[in-house]
Amino acid sequence: MTEAEDRKPRSDEARTTYDPEITSEFAIPEGLEVPKGVGEPETTSEFAVPQGLAAHPPSTEPDGSAFSLPRTYSAKDAPTAFTPATGMPTVSLIKDAPWQDRMRTMLRMPVAERPAPEPVQRAEEGGPAVPRVLDLTLRIGELLLAGGEGAEDVEAAMFAVCRSYGLDRCEPTVTFTLLSISHQPSLVDDPVTASRTVRRRVTDYTRLAAVFRLVDDLTDPEAHVSLEEAYRRLAEIRRNRHPYPGWALTLASGLLAGAASVLVGGDLIVFVAAAVGAMLGDRLAWLCAGRGLPEFYQFTVAAMPPAAIGVAFALADVDVEASAVITGGLFALLPGRALVAGVQDGLTGFYITAAARLLEVMYFFVGIVIGVLLILYFGVKVGGKLNPDAALILSERPLIQIAASMLLSLTFAVLLQQERSTVLAVTLNGGVAWSVYGAMHYAGGLSPVASTAVAAGLVGLFGQLLSRYRFASALPYTTAAIGPLLPGSATYFGLLSMAQNEVDKGLVSLAKAASLAMAIAIGVNLGSEISRLFLRVGSAGKRRAAKRTRGF
């Protein structure tokens, strides 16, 4: 055979291989014989068995043994496919359950198991405008988080808004100051992610309730709220004024302090003195806020006037419970709202947000401690007779104390800018809380920590039931009701002992105050979870764990 004949193609495949128009670097060099049918296959899986390597026969060793030979995958020996021919069964959620429960249930599901959103009537032609829907979602989440709502409920609201406009495969993320949400249309499309920072927090439960109503309307399939209408309503919510003017808030702060002083044994004079001190502290805090000072210094300044009035009574040797005056002023400052929200986030698995909230509570508490300690230390040095043992001789006046607790809850609700329709319910809830605490602690002789935990649990239970009845947030029904349970007296007597160089006794009293605060927060959260445990919360199977495998 001549050299020219040797260069002739031997088959159609070779002719194709040696086509000079093919310039791929993977083309087979001229003169290299390729066996027929051994071209590069279309399937290039990295798990394919290389040519020339035969699969080993099945090993006699049990599965998982270190001495068993590796086996290759064979399609004919594969188990039956998990997905049936008719498709995956859908997960049905109870339609009449509150949207918080339905969205929380779906958030705790894996993405692949979440039911697809129902056909959306409010979406525009060509599908929803994804960036605008995400922006609306973040703005709603910002108002909820700034209003003190828990991180899990904020995520549930953001998830509800996205699904109401037909966006599936959305993942919201909430931390203390940052909101983000990611939407991935399919496994092959690029995700769309947006974020928003919460820089300013405003305590306004009226605005919070309005946002909840907006989310409830968006999740209602019969409402048909368009995207433009949702933006218009959200703008109205942001522009609305607070329901109570500044002078009403100052008056409410004074009445709250006076009611708290009556709870710990004060009389009419103590009531007036505590009210005047709290109102002076509130005005000073407003002045500091107008000058741009951080909240830490606002709390420090606000704690000084009640303490100064109590020390003045002690220096004048007037027959007045100076400790009750100072304790009443502390009740108006203790950050109970932030404490409950921080513990709730920790119990539901949002540990970063919980740590940030509790750190905020600690800063506020340190500010209060500094303000009171400065005044108490000065009063002790100049000869003021303040008795730390006065905490052991509290008078028991059930009817007066129940009335004072209801007044305290009412004024606390005003300070939280609640809707007028919720004030009566939260006032009664606060009276029930103090009645249960008094019956267990004074009449039953139980420890104050256990009594506080049970009373706070009932507050959380009733608050959750009321919120379900009104399809609203539970915060307006629980936060103000825990006001009578706040550890104002334990905090004051701990600070007084430290001012008198009795550090050990002071630390014990402050530890008691911390225990009471944790009992309040855990009790409120436990009461809310008990209501969800026995009510229909909506899923085909059992309720999944919260996360992992899991101040005013």
Side-chain angles (χ1 to χ4, degrees):
M1 181 181 296
T2 63
E3 183 177 356
E5 291 175 345
D6 189 271
R7 294 180 179 176
K8 290 182 180 179
R10 293 184 177 85
S11 63
D12 293 338
E13 288 187 16
R15 187 180 300 111
T16 303
T17 304
Y18 299 143
D19 191 349
E21 294 181 0
I22 298 177
T23 59
S24 172
E25 59 180 323
F26 301 101
I28 300 173
E30 185 179 358
L32 179 62
E33 183 177 357
V34 181
K36 189 173 183 178
V38 190
E40 183 174 348
E42 295 181 2
T43 303
T44 59
S45 172
E46 59 180 332
F47 302 104
V49 181
Q51 183 183 5
L53 179 62
H56 294 281
S59 173
T60 58
E61 294 289 337
D63 290 338
S65 173
F67 303 97
S68 60
L69 296 175
R71 293 182 296 175
T72 58
Y73 176 80
S74 175
K76 64 180 181 179
D77 297 330
T80 307
F82 176 74
T83 305
T86 56
M88 292 291 295
T90 59
V91 179
S92 61
L93 299 174
I94 297 175
K95 298 297 182 181
D96 56 351
W99 62 265
Q100 300 99 307
D101 289 333
R102 290 186 280 116
M103 296 303 113
R104 187 182 293 109
T105 301
M106 281 191 284
L107 275 175
R108 294 172 180 178
M109 291 181 183
V111 178
E113 297 181 14
R114 292 175 184 169
E118 298 177 356
V120 182
Q121 303 295 333
R122 61 179 69 96
E124 293 122 4
E125 292 230 5
V130 175
R132 297 198 67 201
V133 172
L134 297 185
D135 178 70
L136 175 69
T137 302
L138 290 172
R139 291 178 183 273
I140 289 177
E142 178 190 11
L143 286 181
L144 292 176
L145 188 62
E149 193 63 64
E152 187 178 31
D153 290 329
V154 176
E155 281 196 0
M158 295 171 64
F159 191 70
V161 174
C162 285
R163 288 184 66 88
S164 66
Y165 287 101
L167 297 188
D168 198 8
R169 306 179 68 88
C170 286
E171 288 297 333
T173 303
V174 175
T175 59
F176 186 59
T177 58
L178 181 65
L179 298 164
S180 65
I181 188 166
S182 178
H183 167 64
Q184 189 170 13
S186 66
L187 294 176
V188 297
D189 293 327
D190 295 332
V192 180
T193 303
S195 62
R196 194 172 182 87
T197 302
V198 179
R199 302 188 183 278
R200 188 168 179 265
R201 301 177 184 276
V202 179
T203 304
D204 188 344
Y205 281 2
T206 300
R207 180 179 296 175
L208 190 70
V211 176
F212 262 74
R213 284 193 293 269
L214 174 59
V215 177
D216 186 47
D217 291 341
L218 290 176
T219 56
D220 187 0
E222 299 179 358
H224 304 299
V225 180
S226 65
L227 197 60
E228 296 300 329
E229 175 68 13
Y231 264 110
R232 185 189 65 79
R233 290 181 56 178
L234 188 63
E236 289 181 353
I237 292 173
R238 298 181 70 96
R239 286 196 302 265
N240 281 346
R241 288 190 170 188
H242 300 309
Y244 306 102
W247 64 266
L249 298 180
T250 301
L251 180 62
S253 178
L255 293 177
L256 188 154
S261 66
V262 173
L263 281 180
V264 294
D267 53 13
L268 181 60
I269 298 178
V270 171
F271 179 94
V272 175
V276 171
M279 287 190 287
L280 288 176
D282 181 77
R283 287 292 92 191
L284 287 176
W286 277 92
L287 179 63
C288 294
R291 299 291 182 178
L293 291 178
E295 285 185 296
F296 176 85
Y297 301 105
Q298 297 176 30
F299 274 81
T300 302
V301 171
M304 288 182 175
I309 292 178
V311 170
F313 279 142
L315 291 174
D317 201 14
V318 181
D319 188 16
V320 172
E321 288 286 348
S323 59
V325 175
I326 302 175
T327 299
L330 289 178
F331 266 87
L333 297 175
L334 293 177
R337 175 184 62 86
L339 174 67
V340 172
V343 174
Q344 177 184 355
D345 287 341
L347 294 176
T348 52
F350 293 83
Y351 301 113
I352 296 177
T353 307
R357 288 187 190 273
L358 294 177
L359 185 63
E360 180 188 42
V361 171
M362 188 193 73
Y363 271 103
F364 291 163
F365 188 76
V366 170
I368 296 171
V369 167
I370 292 175
V372 175
L373 267 182
L374 287 175
I375 301 299
L376 291 181
Y377 185 77
F378 174 78
V380 170
K381 287 297 183 182
V382 297
K385 298 178 181 179
L386 298 169
N387 183 17
D389 297 329
L392 304 177
I393 54 175
L394 292 178
S395 59
E396 298 180 19
R397 302 169 295 175
L399 295 180
I400 296 178
Q401 288 178 324
I402 291 175
S405 66
M406 295 177 66
L407 177 61
L408 193 154
S409 298
L410 187 149
T411 53
F412 203 175
V414 173
L415 288 175
L416 294 173
Q417 300 281 4
Q418 291 189 197
E419 290 180 305
R420 292 179 174 87
S421 60
T422 65
V423 171
L424 177 60
V426 75
T427 301
L428 295 176
N429 202 7
V432 170
W434 181 261
S435 300
V436 173
Y437 172 80
M440 296 184 65
H441 178 53
Y442 295 119
L446 294 180
S447 68
V449 175
S451 304
T452 300
V454 174
L458 288 177
V459 168
L461 177 61
F462 293 154
Q464 192 65 229
L465 293 176
L466 288 171
S467 70
R468 287 171 179 275
Y469 176 74
R470 300 286 297 271
F471 284 88
S473 171
L475 286 180
Y477 300 100
T478 57
T479 304
I482 65 173
L485 304 176
L486 292 175
S489 58
T491 302
Y492 161 69
F493 288 114
L495 298 179
L496 180 58
S497 298
M498 296 182 69
Q500 294 178 342
N501 292 325
E502 298 178 358
V503 180
D504 294 340
K505 185 184 295 186
L507 291 178
V508 170
S509 185
L510 290 179
K512 177 184 176 181
S515 300
L516 292 172
M518 292 299 294
I520 293 173
I522 295 175
V524 170
N525 182 264
L526 183 60
S528 301
E529 293 299 324
I530 288 175
S531 68
R532 295 193 186 108
L533 182 64
F534 291 102
L535 294 177
R536 299 169 64 196
V537 296
S539 72
K542 296 181 178 179
R543 182 174 184 242
R544 295 181 181 271
K547 270 294 171 187
R548 299 180 289 181
T549 49
R550 333 201 162 151
F552 174 68

